[in-house]
Amino acid sequence: MTSELWALLWSAILCLVLPMLYGPLRARQIGPAALIGNREGIPEPTGAAGRGLRAHRNLVENLLPFAIVVLIARSAGISNGMTVLGAWLFLAARVVHAGCYIAGITGIRTLAWLAGGLGIVLIIIQIV
């Protein structure tokens, strides 16, 4: 398995772990009964729970293009220093982004989001 695919795997694991971090915070706000129900009419989470949910949604939005470019590069047999850098830059940036988002650190969070996008662009440049 290529290094880029490992970065994709760990990005997917991050996507699965995030709800485990903000879920208990959200459960404290609305109660476990509301969480196991159909969730109609419950308020949006606030504080760290809300930021965790938004960090997760943002990761989902960015994980799809990342997965697409990694899989295209893999299927085209493209793997080099730039694609490896792009893949691990994406993952590292998304970890920092999630941590900063949950903690409420805005400036670094924005830079991490940009760095994650740059990681995707680095891979795209190698493909085209």
Side-chain angles (χ1 to χ4, degrees):
M1 189 153 79
T2 66
S3 185
E4 297 91 340
L5 288 175
W6 278 107
L8 178 57
L9 173 64
W10 283 107
S11 297
I13 291 169
L14 174 63
C15 194
L16 293 171
V17 167
L18 275 175
M20 294 177 204
L21 299 176
Y22 71 80
L25 299 172
R26 188 172 190 200
R28 275 191 245 150
Q29 290 179 1
I30 63 172
L35 282 179
I36 63 171
N38 60 16
R39 299 185 186 177
E40 290 179 2
I42 63 172
E44 281 292 312
T46 60
R51 291 189 303 272
L53 175 62
R54 291 188 298 277
H56 182 245
R57 287 177 180 164
N58 190 274
L59 175 58
V60 169
E61 292 171 0
N62 287 273
L63 188 56
L64 180 61
F66 175 63
I68 290 169
V69 300
V70 166
L71 294 173
I72 288 172
R74 175 70 178 139
S75 68
I78 301 168
S79 179
N80 57 41
M82 200 61 71
T83 59
V84 170
L85 173 63
W88 289 102
L89 176 61
F90 177 85
L91 174 59
R94 296 314 304 189
V95 169
V96 170
H97 180 271
C100 287
Y101 213 144
I102 293 169
I105 304 168
T106 56
I108 298 171
R109 182 192 86 211
T110 302
L111 291 174
W113 182 85
L114 290 169
L118 176 62
I120 295 172
V121 169
L122 290 175
I123 298 169
I124 291 171
I125 290 170
Q126 297 306 299
I127 294 170
V128 296

